[in-house]
């Protein structure tokens, strides 16, 4: 590319200082003198610098050579395995600028992942890493600068320990220049005046490519469809919709409800700026092979003043997602008319509903947001989400093809297609302008004409209104009338003959082999000028009956008329019959078929899926604390005669509120302990233990230790006091031993093990409990010794205050 960016190299490397200082404290840094430039704080990293290192690359999604002013592009900085990088710096400069002034920088970066990237503190137009660590890829969005900026240089540096990789050309530098013309359906500003002459007629054909096969994530199998197409050819003074603008009420109703009624009303209010209203039918389901259902199309015209075309259609069901074109200019800079436009379409968000999935409940966006393209990183629950940040797979394609021109043309460059006509036929009208919110049965067949002569009469057909989904949108009549005349008559020029219908064919002239048959019609009305009718009144054709005329063949009648098709729509079967007139003369079995069947194709079946209201808001949780459930409902809008609907009308999910308060629970009080003194005043205690600690704001635990006074006999004073106490204790022990001996004599078969050691105190202070046990060693086999049980003793411990 021959770029000369050497003067910027040191400044560009200097921008990596925060990265180097945080991530690599062992590196030697030398602070340079402060200049007066925009990113003026320059710091030089002392280390190896390498050029032409191709394991690192800077890429703009789609690898465009041109950018569109104001558009956003995903920029990726990556390392090829096994390479990696610890830090980086990314910046965008106008071509030929050094970056020391604010106006040298082009466009703006947008952070995607704050854990990976951030703006540099000493140069906020540049992007660097949030934390220095091993990484193989980072991504940011870059919004292109305004029109007139020219070419832009996206430039990266990579820091890896003491090595800084940079490039003035190659894989770490990307040059991208401003695009001069429209691309990808995004409205260009400003729109130039048209210098073409005459008028041109176009046909728009819409090819949906949204199906479960192409977009499998959460694809709505039963309710997928494209709404009716609505748009217009118009002047630059009227814009139906555009990226970065706000959706009108008409666009909102198309986006959220699939209803084109309000949008058409808005278009017709701009009658001076609109030449043709573009309309095409909805598609249920969204995709079918072209040999089963033709792609919807519509015709429209343009002229010098109204040379733009826009349209939109809802991708349904969805919160507010659409596809379409905005202000597509069909006038060329050579003062001619574009021959053909082919555009692949991705969905866009109307900014009126905040849902993230196809069937999200209604969630109005307040305040309303601007129209924007959907991306693969919008939300993890989005059906278009891609954690790698790839482009969204295309959902539709539109083809706009010129089919005729009228009037004097003034092309600077001659047009190689000869399609100039004397007059443009009126745009094809859709057979049925029924609003999407009105669901009808199919039309009945036309009735017989009210006139049996060639006088003008009327015929009628009817249909039944099955469901009206929006009461504010009126539904057209259920009866349709059409002028008519009796059989064989025509309301054409009076100089023509009026003929009856053909009478059925006569029987074949032979009963075996090839013969002829004929049919006739008659003149119902001669020309008014008295001339003779030259229209044939008889037709003759060959017929074959019973090809084999040998004695072993059987004679059959001619085939009768075909029965009606077994299906009222779609594919069915029809049959016709004949009879055996004579069995074979040799007495053999007649092998001729008497019934014949073949497939028949009736008009396409328009299956109407379940029409359901949006989900209601979730109910309150069934409990006030802890785990419970909540529900939401939706209603069936379509009438019962449309068929069974197996879609669920209620959903239940678990909910979790803050935990319920748990109060403190205690054991019963223990027995009072013995007095803590052998004479005089003392105290006794009793305790209880905590079974369940209070949680989540439950009632706190009350006291677990109680103390009461006790008094034993008055203490004696004198030198013989200790001797007396020792004597009393000895007598007490003897008394207890004697009692044990008596128990042993009464229950000789109940033997106990010695007392266990005391357990640890249940608390460290404030009064706790210790326990010890005596376990039965041998128990009587009879049931009379019920007192032979394990024993347990309690005592107070750690009674000092906490």
């Amino acid at each position: 590319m021959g770029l000369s960016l050497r003067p910027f190299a040191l400044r560009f490397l200097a921008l990596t200082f925060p990265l180097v200082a945080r991530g690599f404290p062992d590196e030697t840094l030398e602070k340079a003198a402060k200049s007066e430039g925009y990113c003026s704080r320059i710091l030089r990293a002392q280390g190896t610098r390498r050029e032409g290192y191709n394991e690192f690359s800077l890429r703009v999604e789609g690898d465009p050579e041109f950018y569109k002013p104001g558009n956003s592009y995903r920029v990726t900085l990556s390392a090829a395995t096994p390479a990696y990088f610890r830090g980086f710096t990314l910046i965008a400069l106008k071509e030929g600028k050094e970056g020391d002034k604010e106006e040298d920088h082009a466009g703006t970066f947008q952070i995607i992942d704050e854990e990976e990237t951030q703006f540099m503190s000493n140069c906020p137009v540049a992007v660097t890493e949030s934390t220095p660590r091993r990484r193989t890829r980072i991504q940011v969005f870059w919004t292109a600068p305004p029109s007139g900026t020219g070419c832009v240089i996206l430039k990266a540096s990579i820091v890896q320990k003491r090595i800084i990789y940079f490039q003035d050309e190659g894989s770490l530098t990307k040059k991208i220049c401003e695009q001069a013309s429209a691309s990808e359906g995004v409205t260009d500003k400003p729109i130039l005046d048209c210098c073409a002459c005459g008028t041109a007629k176009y046909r728009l054909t819409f090819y949906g490519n949204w199906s479960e096969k192409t977009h499998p994530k959460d694809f709505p199998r039963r309710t997928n469809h494209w709404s009716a197409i609505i748009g217009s050819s118009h002047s630059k003074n009227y814009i139906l919709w555009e990226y970065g603008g706000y959706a009108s009420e008409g666009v909102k109703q198309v986006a959220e409800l699939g209803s084109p009624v309000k949008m058409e009303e808005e278009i017709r209010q701009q009658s001076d700026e609109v030449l043709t209203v573009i309309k095409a039918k909805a598609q249920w389901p969204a995709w079918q092979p072209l040999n089963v259902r033709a792609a919807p199309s519509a015709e429209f015209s343009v002229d010098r003043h109204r040379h733009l075309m826009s349209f939109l259609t809802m991708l349904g069901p969805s919160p507010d997602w659409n596809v379409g074109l905005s202000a597509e200019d069909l006038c060329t800079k050579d003062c001619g008319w574009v021959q053909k436009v082919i555009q692949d379409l991705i969905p866009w968000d109307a900014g009126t509903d905040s849902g993230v999935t196809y069937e999200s409940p209604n969630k109005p966006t307040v305040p309303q947001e601007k129209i924007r393209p959907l991306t693969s990183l919008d939300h993890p629950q989005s059906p278009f989400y891609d954690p790698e940040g790839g482009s969204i797979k295309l959902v539709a394609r539109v083809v706009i093809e010129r089919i005729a021109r009228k009037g004097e043309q003034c092309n600077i460059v001659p047009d190689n297609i000869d399609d100039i006509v004397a007059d443009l036929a009126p745009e094809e009208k859709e057979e049925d302008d029924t609003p999407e919110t009105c669901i009808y049965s199919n039309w009945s067949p036309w009735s017989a004409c009210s006139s049996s002569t060639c006088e003008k009469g009327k015929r009628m057909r009817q249909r039944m209104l099955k469901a009206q989904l929006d009461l504010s949108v009126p539904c057209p009549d259920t009866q349709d009338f059409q002028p008519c005349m009796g059989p064989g008559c025509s309301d054409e020029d009076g100089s023509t003959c009026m003929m009856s219908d053909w009478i059925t064919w006569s029987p074949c002239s032979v009963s075996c082999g090839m013969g002829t048959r004929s049919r006739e019609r008659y003149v119902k009305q001669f020309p008014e000028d008295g001339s003779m009718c030259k229209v044939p009144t008889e037709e003759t054709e060959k017929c074959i009956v019973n090809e084999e005329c040998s004695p072993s063949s059987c004679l059959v009648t001619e085939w009768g008329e075909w029965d009606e098709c077994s299906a009222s729509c779609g594919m069915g079967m029809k049959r016709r019959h004949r009879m055996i007139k004579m069995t074979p003369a040799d007495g053999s079995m007649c092998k001729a078929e008497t019934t014949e069947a073949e497939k028949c194709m009736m008009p396409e079946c328009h299956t109407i899926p379940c029409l359901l209201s949006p989900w209601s808001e979730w109910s309150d949780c069934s409990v006030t604390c802890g785990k419970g459930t909540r529900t939401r409902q939706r209603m069936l809008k379509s009438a019962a005669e449309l068929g069974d609907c197996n879609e669920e009308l209620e959903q239940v999910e678990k909910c979790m509120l803050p935990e319920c308060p748990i109060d403190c629970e205690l054991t019963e009080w223990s027995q009072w302990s013995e007095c803590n003194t052998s004479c005089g005043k003392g105290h006794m205690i009793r305790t209880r233990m905590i079974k369940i600690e209070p949680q989540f704001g439950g009632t706190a635990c009350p006291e677990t230790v109680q103390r009461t006074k006790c008094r034993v006999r008055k203490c004696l004073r004198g030198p013989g006091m200790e001797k007396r106490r020792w004597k009393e204790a000895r007598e007490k022990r003897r008394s207890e031993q004697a009692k044990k001996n008596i128990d042993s004599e009464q229950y000789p078969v109940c033997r106990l093990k010695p007392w266990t050691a005391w357990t640890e105190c249940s608390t460290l202070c404030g009064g706790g409990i210790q326990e010890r046990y005596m376990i039965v060693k041998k128990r009587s086999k009879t049931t009379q010794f019920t007192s032979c049980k394990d024993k347990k003793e309690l005592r107070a411990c750690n009674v000092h205050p906490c």
Side-chain angles (χ1 to χ4, degrees):
M1 292 185 292
L3 304 180
S4 178
L5 296 179
R6 289 294 178 182
F8 177 67
L10 292 181
R11 291 186 180 88
F12 186 56
L13 294 173
L15 296 176
T16 64
F17 169 66
L19 171 153
V20 174
R22 290 193 305 271
F24 313 104
D26 59 327
E27 294 189 6
T28 305
L29 300 174
E30 178 186 348
K31 192 171 183 180
K34 190 172 184 179
S35 69
E36 307 209 353
Y38 178 59
C39 291
S40 58
R41 192 173 177 193
I42 301 174
L43 291 159
R44 236 174 252 172
Q46 301 297 322
T48 306
R49 301 178 213 156
R50 299 182 183 175
E51 295 190 32
Y53 194 73
N54 291 321
E55 291 192 22
F56 304 111
S57 64
L58 178 67
R59 180 176 179 267
V60 179
E61 182 181 11
D63 297 318
E65 296 182 8
F66 303 97
Y67 68 83
K68 194 173 185 71
N71 269 21
S72 293
Y73 300 86
R74 184 179 285 103
V75 179
T76 303
L77 184 59
S78 60
T81 306
Y84 64 90
F85 56 95
R86 294 182 179 275
F88 71 93
T89 303
L90 182 62
I91 203 162
L93 293 174
K94 296 177 183 176
E95 186 176 21
K97 301 296 182 180
E98 297 184 4
D100 55 357
K101 299 177 182 178
E102 181 176 0
E103 56 267 24
D104 290 356
H105 300 266
T108 55
F109 288 106
Q110 179 183 344
I111 301 299
I112 294 177
D113 187 348
E114 293 182 352
E115 294 183 359
E116 287 284 342
T117 55
Q118 66 177 1
F119 293 108
M120 295 188 70
S121 57
N122 61 335
C123 184
V125 292
V127 177
T128 187
E129 82 291 347
S130 295
T131 55
R133 63 174 181 81
R134 286 193 177 201
R135 50 174 56 84
T136 58
R137 187 176 76 160
I138 64 95
Q139 288 187 333
V140 295
F141 281 124
W142 175 71
T143 301
S147 178
T149 302
C151 294
V152 175
I153 309 298
L154 292 168
K155 191 172 179 65
S157 70
I158 295 290
V159 177
Q160 191 181 47
K161 292 188 177 180
R162 295 177 180 273
I163 302 173
I164 299 176
Y165 301 99
F166 71 97
Q167 292 188 332
D168 288 337
E169 296 184 34
S171 62
L172 286 178
T173 297
K174 173 71 176 177
K175 179 179 178 180
I176 182 170
C177 295
E178 184 177 346
Q179 180 176 295
S181 60
S183 172
E184 297 182 0
V186 181
T187 308
D188 261 349
K189 298 293 183 182
I191 299 170
L192 300 177
D193 289 333
C194 177
C195 58
C197 301
T199 57
K201 188 173 183 179
Y202 289 87
R203 178 181 292 113
L204 175 152
T205 307
F206 181 84
Y207 299 95
N209 191 41
W210 175 53
S211 66
E212 188 173 15
K213 182 178 180 180
T214 59
H215 298 80
K217 183 180 178 183
D218 300 333
F219 188 78
R221 293 185 178 181
R222 290 182 59 85
T223 56
N224 63 87
H225 67 282
W226 294 105
S227 73
I229 291 173
I230 184 69
S232 71
S233 55
H234 57 91
S235 73
K236 66 179 182 179
N237 298 325
Y238 172 54
I239 300 297
L240 277 72
W241 70 272
E242 62 180 336
Y243 289 121
Y246 290 97
S248 66
E249 183 61 29
V251 172
K252 178 182 177 181
Q253 288 195 15
V254 174
E256 294 186 10
L257 306 175
S259 172
V261 177
K262 183 65 177 177
M263 186 78 254
E264 184 177 351
E265 180 183 322
E266 291 179 359
I267 292 172
R268 294 192 184 280
Q269 288 174 353
Q270 300 287 333
S271 57
D272 292 340
E273 309 299 334
V274 171
L275 183 58
T276 308
V277 178
I278 301 171
K279 298 168 68 176
K281 286 184 177 181
Q283 298 180 84
W284 296 80
W287 182 88
Q288 281 187 328
L290 293 178
N291 62 350
V292 175
R293 181 184 66 196
S297 64
E299 295 178 359
F300 64 94
S301 299
V302 292
D303 60 19
R304 176 180 289 190
H305 177 57
R306 294 155 294 190
H307 54 97
L308 308 175
M309 72 81 57
S310 302
F311 82 93
L312 69 157
T313 174
M314 179 191 75
L315 175 149
S318 69
D320 58 345
W321 301 341
N322 309 263
V323 298
L325 290 180
S326 175
E328 183 70 26
D329 197 347
L330 298 175
C331 182
T332 70
K333 61 182 180 181
D334 299 323
C335 303
W337 297 109
V338 173
Q339 293 179 5
K340 193 172 187 177
V341 176
I342 300 176
Q343 291 281 11
D344 290 322
L345 306 175
I346 63 170
W348 48 268
D349 189 303
T352 61
D353 191 288
S354 300
V356 296
T357 66
Y358 291 125
E359 298 182 279
S360 292
N362 286 343
K363 188 178 180 182
T365 302
V366 180
Q368 183 174 334
E369 295 178 353
K370 293 180 179 180
I371 296 173
R372 64 172 183 85
L374 293 179
T375 74
S376 61
L377 292 174
D378 285 337
H379 195 282
Q381 294 181 4
S382 166
F384 306 108
Y385 180 71
D386 178 5
E388 299 296 320
S391 57
I392 290 181
K393 197 165 187 179
L394 302 172
V395 297
R397 168 176 288 183
V398 63
V399 177
I400 302 170
E401 191 168 12
R402 195 181 75 200
I403 55 177
R405 289 177 294 163
K406 177 190 173 184
E408 183 180 353
Q409 304 295 310
C410 51
N411 306 51
I412 297 175
V413 178
D415 198 304
N416 58 3
I417 297 180
D418 184 12
D419 56 359
I420 298 177
V421 296
D423 195 11
L424 294 179
E427 279 71 36
E428 292 180 359
K429 245 185 121 178
E430 284 295 329
E431 181 183 343
D432 191 356
D433 291 334
T434 302
E436 291 291 300
T437 53
C438 301
I439 308 300
Y440 289 93
S441 65
N442 292 329
W443 284 107
S444 67
W446 285 104
S447 67
C449 190
S450 61
S451 171
S452 59
T453 66
C454 290
E455 296 294 327
K456 288 188 177 180
K458 285 185 179 181
R459 62 176 183 170
M460 181 187 74
R461 62 177 182 172
Q462 294 178 309
R463 60 181 177 178
M464 182 176 69
L465 179 63
K466 291 187 172 184
Q468 186 173 0
L469 305 185
D470 187 350
L471 296 178
S472 64
V473 178
C475 291
D477 296 332
T478 57
Q479 292 182 329
D480 189 20
F481 297 91
Q482 191 179 69
C484 62
M485 300 174 71
C489 298
S490 170
D491 57 359
E492 296 175 359
D493 185 12
S495 63
T496 60
C497 294
M498 302 300 175
M499 307 299 295
S500 69
D501 291 335
W502 287 104
I503 300 172
T504 57
W505 289 102
S506 66
C508 197
S509 60
V510 296
S511 59
C512 183
M514 181 177 289
T516 59
R517 64 176 183 173
S518 62
R519 64 176 182 174
E520 298 176 344
R521 62 179 175 176
Y522 59 91
V523 178
K524 295 191 71 173
Q525 182 175 322
F526 287 93
E528 293 177 358
D529 59 4
S531 60
M532 297 297 293
C533 285
K534 298 180 181 180
V535 180
T537 58
E538 184 177 358
E539 281 184 345
T540 303
E541 68 175 13
K542 294 179 180 180
C543 54
I544 298 176
V545 185
N546 302 307
E547 294 181 6
E548 294 185 15
C549 300
S550 63
S552 62
S553 62
C554 57
L555 300 181
V556 294
T557 63
E558 291 185 74
W559 286 107
E561 296 294 327
W562 286 103
D563 296 339
E564 290 186 1
C565 191
S566 62
S568 57
C569 63
M571 185 72 72
M573 297 294 293
K574 62 180 181 179
R575 291 177 173 78
R576 63 178 182 174
H577 309 276
R578 62 183 177 182
M579 299 176 63
I580 297 174
K581 294 175 66 176
M582 184 181 297
T583 58
D586 59 5
S588 60
M589 294 293 294
C590 186
K591 297 180 180 179
E593 296 290 341
T594 58
T595 301
E596 188 177 51
E598 69 175 23
K599 294 180 180 179
C600 52
M601 189 69 187
M602 299 298 285
E604 176 190 349
C605 294
H606 295 282
T607 55
I608 302 175
C610 298
L611 296 175
L612 301 164
S613 69
W615 284 107
S616 67
E617 296 295 328
W618 285 104
S619 67
D620 293 334
C621 199
S622 59
V623 296
T624 56
C625 60
K627 296 180 180 179
T629 59
R630 62 177 187 169
T631 60
R632 65 175 182 174
Q633 295 85 27
R634 58 182 174 181
M635 292 173 23
L636 182 65
K637 285 187 173 182
S638 52
E641 57 266 24
L642 290 179
D644 294 334
C645 183
N646 298 320
E647 295 291 325
E648 61 179 346
L649 301 179
E650 184 176 56
Q651 287 183 341
V652 180
E653 72 172 11
K654 295 178 181 178
C655 53
M656 183 73 183
L657 294 179
E659 293 286 352
C660 299
I662 298 176
D663 297 335
C664 176
E665 286 191 22
L666 302 164
T667 62
E668 295 296 325
W669 286 106
S670 68
Q671 297 295 322
W672 287 103
S673 68
E674 293 181 356
C675 197
N676 68 338
T677 183
S678 59
C679 65
K681 294 180 180 179
H683 66 269
M684 300 184 297
I685 65 171
R686 66 174 182 176
T687 60
R688 56 182 174 181
M689 298 179 65
I690 297 174
K691 292 168 63 178
I692 298 178
E693 294 281 354
Q695 298 182 61
F696 314 116
T699 305
C701 292
E703 60 180 350
T704 57
V705 178
Q706 285 185 347
R707 183 180 309 201
T708 186
K709 294 179 181 179
C710 61
R711 185 182 182 92
V712 192
R713 67 180 182 278
K714 187 175 182 181
C715 294
L716 300 177
R717 301 181 180 277
M721 189 65 181
E722 290 298 324
K723 185 177 181 180
R724 183 172 176 178
R725 287 181 182 173
W726 176 81
K727 185 177 179 181
E728 288 176 351
R730 184 181 63 183
E731 290 176 354
K732 184 177 181 181
R733 286 196 299 273
R734 285 178 179 174
S735 174
E736 289 177 352
Q737 185 62 43
K739 185 178 179 182
K740 289 180 182 179
N741 293 338
I742 293 170
D743 289 342
S744 178
E745 291 173 2
Q746 291 177 347
Y747 311 110
V749 290
C750 185
R751 296 181 183 177
L752 302 172
K753 295 181 180 179
W755 285 104
T756 64
W758 289 102
T759 62
E760 291 186 5
C761 192
S762 61
T763 61
L764 298 177
C765 60
I769 292 177
Q770 287 179 295
E771 299 176 345
R772 68 174 182 174
Y773 304 91
M774 182 180 285
I775 309 300
V776 174
K777 188 174 183 181
K778 185 177 182 182
R779 196 184 304 271
S780 171
K781 294 183 179 179
T782 64
T783 57
Q784 59 179 333
F785 302 110
T786 56
S787 62
C788 187
K789 298 178 179 178
D790 295 341
K791 295 184 179 181
K792 173 178 157 182
E793 282 188 351
L794 301 175
R795 72 176 182 184
C797 57
N798 294 338
V799 295
H800 57 279
C802 293

